[in-house]
Amino acid sequence: MTDICDIIAANVRHFRGMKGISQEELAHLTDLDRTYISGIERGVRNPTIRVLEKIAIALDVDICRLISGG
Amino acid sequence: MTDICDIIAANVRHFRGMKGISQEELAHLTDLDRTYISGIERGVRNPTIRVLEKIAIALDVDICRLISGG
DNA sequence: CTGTGACTGCAAGTCCGTC
DNA sequence: TGACGGACTTGCAGTCACA
């Protein structure tokens, strides 16, 4: 059973790659710290739903996409 | 623009009603405090993804259902 | 059975820098 | 460009008494 943070990590990394932007740029877009974005993409952070919402908006995807595997 | 916590609040309340269980019972199922569940259903809490996952599992719905309106 | 304010502990989230 | 560490501040996690 995979931890949900790891799923989010993979998804954020994936969709950020699709957008072709750096962690730093995503950090700027979401108004979050670059090290925090890094932490999320490594699965070591357990973000709140509001943070996830910010990221989803910045990445231009539905929040569900960030959460669900596949 | 509705706050995402309010959306989650409404959804948790809705799906808990569908299950026909009390906040207290949901609290027990999720291993969370009764007053904490209450706080979420009032939209005053900004839960982390792990908390949301617990609730979704206990409610037997996909996490996406808890997040999305409609 | 639920709403609410207040509280403590620790994680969320920031900012510095290095490799 | 991103991983990672340390120290820091803010806010959530989790609990209680009481209405």
Side-chain angles (χ1 to χ4, degrees):
Chain A
M1 152 113 201
T2 311
D3 183 44
I4 192 162
C5 290
D6 290 328
I7 295 174
I8 291 170
N11 286 335
V12 170
R13 197 177 288 264
H14 172 74
F15 287 114
R16 180 173 63 77
M18 298 287 278
K19 265 231 152 186
I21 61 178
S22 67
Q23 289 183 350
E24 210 155 359
E25 285 170 312
L26 179 57
H28 182 69
L29 287 173
T30 52
D31 241 330
L32 293 169
D33 196 77
R34 73 186 163 78
T35 63
Y36 188 58
I37 297 289
S38 169
I40 289 177
E41 288 196 2
R42 281 179 290 130
V44 300
R45 294 287 190 163
N46 174 27
T48 61
I49 192 62
R50 279 210 249 257
V51 163
L52 236 47
E53 186 189 30
K54 276 190 188 178
I55 295 175
I57 291 173
L59 251 30
D60 235 329
V61 296
D62 198 276
I63 303 183
C64 293
R65 300 264 178 208
L66 295 184
I67 293 168
S68 48
Chain B
M1 147 111 199
T2 310
D3 183 44
I4 193 164
C5 290
D6 290 328
I7 295 174
I8 290 170
N11 286 335
V12 170
R13 200 177 284 264
H14 172 72
F15 287 114
R16 181 173 61 77
M18 297 288 278
K19 266 231 154 186
I21 62 177
S22 66
Q23 287 183 352
E24 213 157 359
E25 285 170 312
L26 178 57
H28 182 69
L29 287 173
T30 54
D31 242 326
L32 294 169
D33 195 80
R34 164 188 84 71
T35 64
Y36 186 61
I37 298 287
S38 170
I40 290 178
E41 287 195 3
R42 280 178 293 130
V44 299
R45 295 283 190 162
N46 174 24
T48 60
I49 192 61
R50 280 210 248 256
V51 165
L52 236 46
E53 187 189 29
K54 274 191 191 179
I55 295 174
I57 292 172
L59 251 28
D60 234 328
V61 296
D62 199 276
I63 303 184
C64 293
R65 299 265 179 208
L66 295 184
I67 293 168
S68 49

